[in-house]
Amino acid sequence: MRAVATICCVVIAILGLSAQVRTGTLTIHYIDTEGGQSTLFVGPTGESLLVDTGNAGDRDLGRIAETLRAAGVTRIDHLWTTHYHGDHVGALIELAKQFPVAHFYDHGKPHANDRIVSSQFLSAYESLSTGKRTMVKPGDKVKMTSLDITAVAAGNQFIRTNLQGGGSQNSSCAGVTQKDESAYPDPDNGESAGFVLTYGRFRTIDLGDLTWNAELDLMCPINRIGTVDLYLTSHHGLEKSGSPALVHALHPRVVVMNNGTRKGGAPGVFRVLQETSGIEDLWQLHWSYNAGLENTPARFIANVDEPATIAEVLTTPTTGVPAAPRAGGPGAPAHTPAYLIRVSVQQDGSFTVTNTRNSFSKTYRPRS
């Protein structure tokens, strides 16, 4: 009888754990790196995935570290680097001194013609990641409990098998032409490693700074991905990315833009979003000087300038406020305090987005 009781207890414990996994919450933290990227995913069992590490310097390092600690993260289980530009890898080396990293993911060698990738960073990164690094290819997966994370782009290669819901002709490709990207000094953007993450019935996508032409290679003529619930704007909302062929086909319900005040938020990107059927809301990390009156309502914006500054930008659009060094990069003054956008996701596909500046939240029910 004692043995039977023990077995029953073990079974009950296992069932309880399974129920916890099935009904747990995925949290997503879009950290303000002022026009860079750093996004923290914490799965229902506490496993962590950090995508990119913002700019160099204490500002973004402190914000990322604070977010990790507040989320209960003591080590980074998975660190995904979309590409090697300073606004995406700036704090990586210093952050790894504070939080051990179990595994690294990236697209492999940087583009040979990129003129802004730091060779000093690459050397330090290779030493740090030796023995625990995966150079992802489209179709590769990150093994994270309860989540399906599939690489769809990496190293200018793109997935050619259909994800669930994908495989149909992409009518949004019609009339969308390639851009001349030959003069871009930063072609590693087009090498970005991007993924689709699925938790139950919820889906989101992060393509880093994948450029317009690479988006067409990914999405045309067949939409291999299908639709998503939440779309993080490619390339901070710059017009080098965010083509209708991508955005219209993904058919997102909610969009998060990881822009800065002077970086991203391009009017053309807003037009594409406005023309995309089914988008319920756009959430922004910053009020964009570039967008002016096209900005989403303030309750959906995590960081908003003083009214006098906004008024000056709106009334003098050709000059506006003097540009900050590198448009939000490491030499720019910090926008303080810094607020993030947090998303809480349930396995049934429902999710709640919260603006931590004003505690405004909105819950989106599962797609029928």
Side-chain angles (χ1 to χ4, degrees):
M1 291 296 292
R2 185 177 296 124
V4 171
T6 300
I7 292 171
C8 289
C9 289
V10 171
V11 171
I12 291 170
I14 291 173
L15 290 175
L17 178 60
S18 298
Q20 181 182 9
V21 170
R22 286 197 302 272
T23 61
T25 300
L26 164 69
T27 57
I28 310 172
H29 309 258
Y30 294 100
I31 303 167
D32 176 28
T33 57
E34 307 208 21
Q37 182 182 190
S38 188
T39 306
L40 172 66
F41 297 80
V42 181
T45 62
E47 199 171 356
S48 60
L49 164 67
L50 182 66
V51 182
D52 291 341
T53 53
N55 295 279
D58 291 338
R59 184 195 70 193
D60 290 0
L61 174 64
R63 293 175 182 181
I64 298 167
E66 180 182 358
T67 301
L68 290 169
R69 293 190 179 101
V73 174
T74 57
R75 80 163 190 172
I76 301 168
D77 296 302
H78 311 278
L79 179 52
W80 181 288
T81 294
T82 60
H83 62 298
Y84 302 111
H85 289 157
D87 57 333
H88 290 255
V89 299
L92 190 154
I93 304 302
E94 292 302 316
L95 188 69
K97 295 177 181 178
Q98 299 185 33
F99 297 85
V101 179
H103 204 84
F104 299 82
Y105 306 82
D106 57 69
H107 70 67
K109 292 183 179 180
H111 194 288
N113 296 328
D114 195 289
R115 298 196 291 273
I116 63 175
V117 169
S118 166
S119 58
Q120 182 179 4
F121 166 80
L122 290 177
S123 177
Y125 177 67
E126 288 178 5
S127 297
L128 180 65
S129 61
T130 298
K132 46 183 180 178
R133 176 184 182 186
T134 297
M135 300 180 193
V136 297
K137 300 290 189 294
D140 287 353
K141 292 182 179 289
V142 175
K143 295 181 179 180
M144 193 166 170
T145 304
S146 301
L147 307 180
D148 183 290
I149 304 169
T150 305
V152 295
N156 202 32
Q157 298 179 26
F158 308 97
I159 197 163
R160 292 295 178 249
T161 57
N162 300 330
L163 302 185
Q164 185 174 1
S168 62
Q169 288 282 332
N170 185 356
S171 60
S172 300
C173 296
V176 181
T177 59
Q178 291 199 340
K179 293 187 175 184
D180 181 6
E181 298 182 355
S182 60
Y184 290 178
D186 46 8
D188 204 57
N189 286 321
E191 307 282 306
S192 288
F195 61 83
V196 171
L197 181 149
T198 302
Y199 176 51
R201 294 175 58 192
F202 172 85
R203 300 180 93 212
T204 186
I205 189 169
D206 185 334
L207 297 174
D209 284 2
L210 202 67
T211 56
W212 182 285
N213 292 350
E215 291 172 352
L216 300 188
D217 289 338
L218 171 64
M219 299 297 292
C220 299
I222 304 296
N223 176 4
R224 305 284 183 188
I225 294 172
T227 62
V228 300
D229 297 286
L230 191 156
Y231 162 59
L232 176 66
T233 54
S234 300
H235 214 160
H236 321 288
L238 290 168
E239 286 186 330
K240 292 180 178 180
S241 305
S243 70
L246 172 74
V247 183
H248 293 180
L250 290 177
H251 196 60
R253 299 175 59 197
V254 172
V255 176
V256 173
M257 183 179 290
N258 57 341
N259 63 306
T261 53
R262 304 163 180 83
K263 181 178 179 182
V269 172
F270 275 84
R271 282 194 295 273
V272 171
L273 295 176
Q274 290 162 0
E275 294 165 358
T276 303
S277 65
I279 291 180
E280 297 179 40
D281 293 304
L282 165 65
W283 300 70
Q284 297 171 218
L285 276 177
H286 278 273
W287 191 88
S288 171
Y289 291 13
N290 299 317
L293 294 175
E294 296 300 318
N295 279 281
T296 198
R299 65 182 179 275
F300 294 95
I301 303 176
N303 298 282
V304 179
D305 279 334
E306 294 296 325
T309 301
I310 293 176
E312 184 176 354
V313 173
L314 292 175
T315 55
T316 55
T318 56
T319 56
V321 176
R326 297 194 59 189
H335 189 288
T336 55
Y339 298 99
L340 54 79
I341 292 172
R342 184 174 60 248
V343 183
S344 300
V345 184
Q346 305 305 316
Q347 199 169 29
D348 67 358
S350 63
F351 59 102
T352 300
V353 185
T354 301
N355 178 352
T356 61
R357 174 179 63 85
N358 54 10
S359 299
F360 171 71
S361 293
K362 184 171 179 179
T363 296
Y364 303 86
R365 306 313 307 169
R367 268 180 169 151
S368 57

